[in-house]
Amino acid sequence: MNEGKAMYNLAETLYPIYRSITGEGVRETFRILKEWLGDTCTFNIYEVPTGTEVFDWTVPKEWVIRDAYIEKKPGEKILSFQDCPLCVVGYSKPVDEWVTLEELKEIVHTQPDQPDLIPYVTSYYKERYGFCMTENQKQNLKPGRYHIVVDSELKDGSLTYADVILPGETEEEILISTYSCHPTMANDNCSGIVLAAQMIKYIASLEKRKYTYRFVFGPETIGILTYLSQGGRWRTLRERVKAGFVLSCVGDDRGYAIVHSQTGNTLSDRVLMNVLKDGEPEKVKEYSFLERGSDERQYNYPGIGLGVVGFCRSKYWEFPEYHTSADDLTVISEEGLQGSFNIMKEAVDALEHNEIYTANTLGEPQMGRRGLYPTLSQKGVWDGVRVMMDVLLYADGRRDLLEISEAIHVPVRELIPVIQTLENADLIRKK
Ligand code: ZN
């Protein structure tokens, strides 16, 4: 449970920070992550200027938000950014004027089916201003005039993203990506950020690793497009990435979800499904790529085609607190984060051991001669041998460990020591 507690504590630090797709909130988040990771890794932070073309898009102006409020009389605020950061529409342009109730209602957003909650609303690519409040508050607004103020600025600045590369024995890569653009919501997506950070610590602690690990932190969509396009990085990734995971909403404890890759049968799909089935399969929901929503969109785009999958606990869109003021620190828990960490750790361990194996003998080896067969025959002592024999019988030089695992219905986690034993006894070899 140690990781769960560490991740929850980090989420508590990150939660109050007001993030958007650009701006100081993201920079502060990265400063905190860099400090939290210490000398575990090199945490690279990049700034890309407003106006830079990234594939079909352009890096937008940087948004500065200082304050926002609505008041009925001077000094009588009915809504304030200081108390409730979600009350301003993200990327609102500045405004300072008096409006009628009818005019106000046109720029107020609510979630009518959840009348007590404030929705999270943004307008990145069309300049407007707006406010968010509960439906109940909107219904109770009295006629008259209202003073609306957004003290913001849209300026030429930059978009901030970060990455961490942990080199392995080969240049082949495993990609772990998460997004850093959401303000003051815990499950979406403080949880993804802290899980990625904890995974950096875990990977860095491995004595040896076959793969190089690449961690990406950036604003959803525009940040990942920027990441892939800068310096033609997408070409490098297309060549090297063997599997990848987009982490999103991984902090609650309700269930687990996979958002499959575009083809649905990549190494990423196979390893995550293998691990998810090993835990509590009845709590696992599978979503097809048609239900994608996060950065698996860019990573799977034709021409890039990294075969990445999405990993969530309760999937975005699906949990009641999603994109509302209710997505606070009570939605996530140490246990929830720990569960997600255990899944990702097991996935990494499985990838590190996923080789194609060939049996060395013709016909079953005599296990007893090698001390691998119980000399007493009794029910119950047979199971371990049975798994060993199953592995040997399926080690046909074509199947990788994941396929063997699926064929014999034993999770990779349990096969790793079996493979070790068989290798030590010279009964099996890596292709
Ligand atoms: Zn979201």
Side-chain angles (χ1 to χ4, degrees):
M1 279 301 290
N2 285 339
E3 293 93 358
K5 187 168 175 48
M7 285 186 280
Y8 191 87
N9 290 345
L10 180 59
E12 279 181 314
T13 309
L14 299 180
Y15 172 74
I17 300 171
Y18 191 85
R19 281 168 292 271
S20 182
I21 54 171
T22 62
E24 277 310 308
V26 180
R27 294 190 187 100
E28 195 187 340
T29 299
F30 289 167
R31 277 194 293 272
I32 291 166
L33 284 180
K34 193 180 169 96
E35 195 187 311
W36 191 81
L37 289 162
D39 53 14
T40 313
C41 63
T42 307
F43 194 85
N44 308 299
I45 301 172
Y46 306 80
E47 299 280 351
V48 180
T50 300
T52 305
E53 284 184 18
V54 294
F55 298 137
D56 200 41
W57 297 55
T58 306
V59 172
K61 290 197 165 166
E62 183 175 327
W63 187 52
V64 181
I65 176 75
R66 287 179 284 265
D67 202 3
Y69 56 87
I70 303 174
E71 56 186 9
K72 191 85 176 69
K73 285 186 215 151
E76 243 179 61
K77 289 179 184 163
I78 62 161
L79 198 67
S80 164
F81 176 70
Q82 307 304 334
D83 305 327
C84 167
L86 294 186
C87 85
V88 64
V89 169
Y91 257 69
S92 280
K93 64 183 182 180
V95 62
D96 182 349
E97 61 185 37
W98 286 84
V99 297
T100 64
L101 177 58
E102 285 61 42
E103 288 167 331
L104 178 64
K105 281 184 171 173
E106 279 173 25
I107 54 160
V108 161
H109 305 266
T110 66
Q111 194 69 38
D113 58 332
Q114 294 175 304
D116 297 326
L117 305 182
I118 300 169
Y120 163 52
V121 180
T122 60
S123 179
Y124 297 137
Y125 302 104
K126 182 181 184 320
E127 282 200 11
R128 53 154 73 88
Y129 51 78
F131 292 89
C132 301
M133 62 175 66
T134 67
E135 176 66 17
N136 288 338
Q137 185 175 16
K138 185 181 171 188
Q139 292 300 334
N140 288 319
L141 290 172
K142 304 274 182 299
R145 287 166 62 74
Y146 290 85
H147 185 202
I148 58 167
V149 175
V150 176
D151 180 8
S152 68
E153 199 182 329
L154 284 159
K155 62 171 193 183
D156 285 339
S158 57
L159 176 150
T160 317
Y161 66 81
D163 73 3
V164 168
I165 315 262
L166 297 172
E169 287 163 2
T170 69
E171 281 194 336
E172 295 189 333
E173 291 188 9
I174 306 300
L175 171 72
I176 295 178
S177 181
T178 196
Y179 51 92
S180 52
C181 52
H182 282 43
T184 58
M185 286 176 290
N187 202 28
D188 189 17
N189 188 33
C190 287
S191 67
I193 298 174
V194 302
L195 176 57
Q198 192 67 50
M199 285 305 295
I200 292 174
K201 285 199 174 174
Y202 173 65
I203 307 282
S205 76
L206 294 177
E207 262 173 43
K208 68 187 203 96
R209 49 184 178 258
K210 180 170 72 177
Y211 289 112
T212 292
Y213 288 79
R214 180 187 296 266
F215 292 83
V216 180
F217 300 83
E220 218 170 9
T221 309
I222 186 68
I224 300 313
L225 289 164
T226 304
Y227 187 79
L228 289 169
S229 74
Q230 285 280 287
R233 213 180 251 127
W234 64 278
R235 287 196 187 86
T236 312
L237 267 67
R238 193 175 59 176
E239 228 168 77
R240 295 184 184 168
V241 170
K242 297 299 159 198
F245 310 91
V246 173
L247 310 181
S248 161
C249 309
V250 288
D252 68 320
D253 56 12
R254 285 173 277 213
Y256 293 100
I258 175 172
V259 181
H260 280 292
S261 72
Q262 189 250 28
T263 62
N265 60 2
T266 65
L267 180 58
S268 320
D269 292 289
R270 292 168 54 220
V271 72
L272 189 53
M273 276 312 293
N274 189 286
V275 171
L276 287 173
K277 280 190 291 189
D278 177 26
E280 298 164 274
E282 69 287 354
K283 289 179 83 178
V284 175
K285 282 192 177 166
E286 280 186 73
Y287 295 90
S288 91
F289 191 63
L290 295 174
E291 293 161 286
R292 71 200 172 269
S294 189
D295 290 319
E296 60 275 6
R297 292 162 21 238
Q298 315 314 329
Y299 291 126
N300 279 286
Y301 208 83
I304 296 170
L306 305 184
V308 161
V309 295
F311 173 50
C312 316
R313 293 215 55 154
S314 294
K315 183 177 170 283
Y316 46 83
W317 309 342
E318 305 289 331
F319 57 100
E321 303 88 358
Y322 171 74
H323 277 202
T324 71
S325 50
D327 185 358
D328 59 22
L329 288 163
T330 63
V331 175
I332 65 170
S333 63
E334 291 177 18
E335 294 77 10
L337 290 164
Q338 184 71 44
S340 292
F341 174 79
N342 294 346
I343 297 284
M344 284 313 297
K345 175 178 174 295
E346 204 178 318
V348 162
D349 294 345
L351 286 167
E352 285 288 324
H353 290 88
N354 189 42
E355 306 284 348
I356 294 172
Y357 290 97
T358 310
N360 286 339
T361 57
L362 284 173
E364 286 187 354
Q366 202 203 344
M367 302 298 265
R369 185 156 64 78
R370 296 172 169 85
L372 295 175
Y373 199 89
T375 45
L376 278 174
S377 178
Q378 188 187 342
K379 67 176 177 180
V381 294
W382 170 242
D383 291 4
V385 182
R386 176 88 198 176
V387 172
M388 265 191 273
M389 298 313 296
D390 282 347
V391 169
L392 288 170
L393 279 156
Y394 285 81
D396 54 8
R398 290 196 302 270
R399 289 183 171 89
D400 63 17
L401 191 57
L402 279 165
E403 284 171 294
I404 295 175
S405 158
E406 275 143 39
I408 70 173
H409 309 296
V410 179
V412 169
R413 176 176 53 81
E414 287 178 29
L415 293 185
I416 291 170
V418 174
I419 290 287
Q420 194 68 59
T421 304
L422 294 173
E423 273 187 320
N424 292 347
D426 204 24
L427 291 175
I428 204 171
R429 65 178 185 278
K430 276 178 203 157
K431 198 180 177 185

